[in-house]
Amino acid sequence: MSYAEVGGLRIWYEEHGAGKPLVLLHGEYGSTEAFAPIRPALATRRRLIAVDLQGHGRTADVDRPLRYESMADDVAALLRHLGLPRADVLGYSLGGGVALRTAIQHPDLVRRLVLVSTPFRRRGWYPETLAAMSAHDERVAQRMRGTPLHERYARVAPRPQDWQALWARGGELLRRDYDWSAEVAALPMPVLLVFADADEIPVSHAAEFFGLLGGGHRDAGGDGTGRPASRLAVLPGLTHYDVLTSPALPAAVLPFLTHPARAPG
């Protein structure tokens, strides 16, 4: 557990387990602790590198806006700092957006990509979710004081007084429009998409996402040769808020990371 100085950011990361490296990227207003429920299962097979993104957890904010693209560059810089030529990357929600941008911007560094509850365009979220995210600001942060999310932040953040500023920056990020469909279709590595069946993202968007990766266009055939390199998992009985804590998640992720897969094409 340590800090790394990368690109003007003092970024916190911690390591668990052994094996091939797997980077873990948390959701909005979260931290590495979000992965605690599934960390033991993942660490039995992988060297986990959990990261606190800019302004989150133990990584203090810096004088730049929160952007998926710049946080992706931070992840790439950390991998190079650690001397890792390639790694698997798993991101959840906000961290999924960062993981996806890392794969788009630095495809040479990402062996396999796992995106949990992550859309490829902003309008992939349900309209009511978009409305709620658009309202994130300092007033919402004030109302969130005393919640488990705030208590965790206050316990580990270098500057706990930045809680409201984080929500203001986070809201500004979440209001920005994006559509990465063309870049998704060009990804060179296998991708696992994981959604809850009652997620904040419709299953129809998950199917469209999978289609961009070459999935869902034809029968794989009796011998499976028509199967795409990428995979889609819709986990039953879960929501956006508990999918990251379910044992069903590592049960879906580990086979994808360890089974042979041909390159997309």
Side-chain angles (χ1 to χ4, degrees):
M1 302 183 184
S2 185
Y3 283 101
E5 303 284 345
V6 295
L9 184 70
R10 189 167 184 257
I11 193 168
W12 171 265
Y13 71 96
E14 53 191 67
E15 300 194 43
H16 305 269
K20 292 182 179 178
L22 171 62
V23 177
L24 304 178
L25 304 176
H26 59 77
E28 184 78 3
Y29 314 119
S31 63
T32 59
E33 283 83 358
F35 292 100
I38 62 170
R39 189 168 59 210
L42 294 175
T44 61
R45 304 283 291 277
R46 314 294 291 192
R47 171 190 174 188
L48 306 181
I49 303 168
V51 180
D52 280 345
L53 298 167
Q54 176 191 338
H56 292 75
R58 294 170 176 81
T59 300
D61 206 353
V62 291
D63 187 18
R64 73 177 191 197
L66 279 182
R67 295 288 184 271
Y68 293 109
E69 293 82 358
S70 56
M71 289 188 282
D73 287 342
D74 295 336
V75 173
L78 177 62
L79 289 176
R80 295 187 177 107
H81 171 84
L82 295 174
L84 296 174
R86 296 185 87 197
D88 298 323
V89 181
L90 182 157
Y92 161 72
S93 196
L94 169 81
V98 177
L100 179 52
R101 289 308 313 180
T102 303
I104 290 170
Q105 295 165 210
H106 306 277
D108 56 314
L109 292 177
V110 180
R111 190 186 75 99
R112 295 189 187 183
L113 177 65
V114 180
L115 303 177
V116 183
S117 295
T118 305
F120 67 85
R121 68 164 68 97
R122 184 175 182 270
R123 293 190 179 275
W125 302 96
Y126 279 116
E128 58 269 29
T129 300
L130 278 178
M133 292 192 305
S134 296
H136 288 190
D137 59 14
E138 293 184 354
R139 291 170 297 180
V140 175
Q142 185 62 29
R143 294 198 296 270
M144 291 295 291
R145 287 185 177 276
T147 64
L149 196 65
H150 171 250
E151 289 174 352
R152 181 186 299 166
Y153 178 87
R155 186 170 62 250
V156 303
R159 297 195 301 264
Q161 65 271 24
D162 286 352
W163 173 247
Q164 290 181 231
L166 174 61
W167 277 74
R169 283 178 176 256
E172 196 272 333
L173 169 66
L174 296 174
R175 287 186 288 273
R176 291 177 61 87
D177 197 23
Y178 62 90
D179 184 337
W180 300 326
S181 53
E183 293 160 299
V184 165
L187 286 173
M189 74 290 293
V191 182
L192 171 63
L193 303 176
V194 183
F195 295 89
D197 63 351
D199 215 310
E200 292 187 335
I201 300 158
V203 174
S204 58
H205 183 84
E208 185 181 0
F209 202 156
F210 191 44
L212 292 173
L213 297 166
H217 297 298
R218 62 185 181 275
D219 176 18
D223 60 0
T225 56
R227 180 185 294 119
S230 294
R231 297 182 181 182
L232 169 64
V234 179
L235 304 183
L238 298 172
T239 72
H240 191 81
Y241 302 97
D242 60 9
V243 66
L244 198 63
T245 66
S246 171
L249 181 56
V253 169
L254 287 171
F256 169 74
L257 296 179
T258 55
H259 290 185
R262 61 178 178 79

